[in-house]
Amino acid sequence: MTAVPAPMLRLSNAVNGVVEIPQFGFGTYRVPPEEAERVVSEALEAGYRHIDTAQMYGNEAGVGRALAASGIDRDELFVTSKLDNGNHGHDDALRSLDRSLTELGLERLDLFLVHWPMAAVTNIVETWRTMIEILQSGRVRAIGVSNHQAEHLREITDATGIAPAVNQIEISPYLTQEPLRALHAQMGIVTEAWSPLARGKVACDPTILAIGAELGRTASQVVLRWHIQRGDVVFPKSMHRERIVENAQLFDFALSPAQMDAVSALDRGERQGSHPDMVQWTERP
Ligand SMILES: NC(=O)c1ccc[n+]([C@@H]2O[C@H](COP(=O)([O-])OP(=O)(O)OC[C@H]3O[C@@H](n4cnc5c(N)ncnc54)[C@H](OP(=O)(O)O)[C@@H]3O)[C@@H](O)[C@H]2O)c1
């Protein structure tokens, strides 16, 4: 039950004291509701203390049962959820947060994100104003966004004076997102990398396997360590206990500058998930 020794990164828009996010956590996209309690319990046993879920994943109740059963102090845990696409309206957003907190069995979220901007069909500034109201209510410790592009980040920050604490975007060796990461650094936004393993594809990449052979590590460990050394937050998902354990063993080795460059050179602009412009729907996928 010893916690993984992940570095902590400070979030910018907390209203009640300092909020720090563990740079490493566990992802729960495509974790079916009936499996969520088991896999999140396995992750907590393996030392994960940061769990990334979302209203859209339909598994918050199972995540909540695992958190409660773990007996781990609430202040050692970091829990993120995300506003579903159909809940952007002011009252819907507030009600959806009530439901998330009830399902998770928590009084407060550590981080609440706008899951997708859906800029063609919603008013992104109004949604962000609602998130600020939620932050000021004290029911979440920090607020951020996901899948927002440069123009979205600038628009909501210029309109409200409050930048998102994080932007959670797809990043892998095949999609390194340098321009957006540079803007995040300028704006004080922490970058979170979703699908950090390119949904498992990196496990058979010859370049990454060769680096793993040099280091005596698996391909997944090489790639997760690459994300950590770039300074991004990662939360790989797995349904398998041995992979859950493997993916957390990242803090006793390092990639050399040449190995970092070799992984970064795999960038080919390839997405595993949807481009934010293509996601304008309000139903669960
Ligand atoms: N904000 C967003 O729009 C958004 C979108 C997507 C994801 N996310 C978040 O980011 C998290 C991570 O992304 P993701 O789940 O899409 O993809 P990922 O973590 O990059 O990859 C998960 C896939 O890799 C496999 N895998 C995991 N560890 C492995 C290992 N050591 N060796 C070989 N294969 C391995 C898993 O298979 P098994 O499960 O069978 O082990 C699964 O198929 C999500 O769970 C979610 O929390 C956010």
Side-chain angles (χ1 to χ4, degrees):
M1 272 280 210
T2 314
V4 171
M8 305 293 283
L9 305 180
R10 188 171 288 203
L11 299 183
S12 65
N13 63 27
V15 284
N16 294 315
V18 172
V19 177
E20 292 186 315
I21 184 169
Q23 207 191 339
F24 176 78
F26 186 69
T28 64
Y29 178 47
R30 292 187 176 154
V31 172
E34 63 281 9
E35 295 266 41
E37 183 175 355
R38 173 186 67 82
V39 291
V40 173
S41 295
E42 288 176 359
L44 294 168
E45 273 163 35
Y48 293 64
R49 293 293 179 267
H50 165 183
I51 309 295
D52 183 87
T53 183
Q55 295 171 350
M56 192 185 288
Y57 303 166
N59 58 22
E60 289 171 307
V63 171
R65 285 193 296 276
L67 297 174
S70 74
I72 298 168
D73 279 354
R74 175 66 184 93
D75 56 10
E76 287 179 36
L77 295 166
F78 191 99
V79 182
T80 300
S81 192
K82 313 185 192 89
L83 182 72
D84 202 353
N85 292 349
N87 295 334
H88 280 219
H90 176 269
D91 293 355
D92 287 344
L94 298 188
R95 271 195 295 270
S96 78
L97 176 64
D98 284 342
R99 268 197 308 277
S100 287
L101 290 172
T102 302
E103 299 218 336
L104 287 162
L106 300 176
E107 280 178 21
R108 286 204 299 182
L109 283 178
D110 296 291
L111 181 61
F112 193 39
L113 307 180
V114 180
H115 204 148
W116 293 91
M118 302 205 302
V121 295
T122 66
N123 181 328
I124 62 172
V125 171
E126 285 313 307
T127 303
W128 187 239
R129 285 194 207 285
T130 303
M131 295 293 281
I132 293 169
E133 183 184 325
I134 285 172
L135 175 69
Q136 289 167 345
S137 77
R139 295 159 79 225
V140 307
R141 297 172 71 219
I143 52 170
V145 296
S146 177
N147 299 304
H148 280 46
Q149 300 174 78
E151 65 272 22
H152 305 138
L153 297 174
R154 291 199 186 94
E155 186 180 344
I156 63 175
T157 305
D158 290 349
T160 64
I162 298 184
V166 314
N167 189 17
Q168 183 179 123
I169 57 174
E170 181 176 352
I171 302 181
S172 79
Y174 308 135
L175 182 73
T176 57
Q177 297 264 28
E178 298 309 346
L180 200 44
R181 288 176 73 256
L183 179 67
H184 292 170
Q186 262 176 36
M187 294 180 71
I189 298 171
V190 167
T191 302
E192 295 192 333
W194 63 252
S195 296
L197 300 173
R199 301 216 164 128
K201 259 193 189 172
V202 300
C204 37
D205 184 290
T207 302
I208 297 167
L209 284 165
I211 295 172
E214 288 163 20
L215 293 164
R217 296 289 170 155
T218 68
S220 298
Q221 289 170 328
V222 168
V223 169
L224 294 170
R225 181 71 209 178
W226 171 82
H227 287 284
I228 294 284
Q229 286 181 221
R230 276 158 54 97
D232 297 349
V233 176
V234 272
F235 24 80
K237 168 261 180 185
S238 176
M239 300 299 294
H240 298 93
R241 184 193 290 267
E242 59 291 352
R243 288 178 174 173
I244 291 172
V245 171
E246 170 192 328
N247 291 345
Q249 291 168 347
L250 307 176
F251 300 99
D252 56 352
F253 74 106
L255 272 60
S256 67
Q259 290 166 332
M260 288 294 294
D261 290 346
V263 178
S264 301
L266 297 172
D267 184 23
R268 52 192 189 218
E270 179 189 292
R271 288 179 190 272
Q272 312 305 315
S274 303
H275 188 286
D277 288 346
M278 304 308 292
V279 175
Q280 306 294 343
W281 33 255
T282 55
E283 308 83 27
R284 289 207 168 120

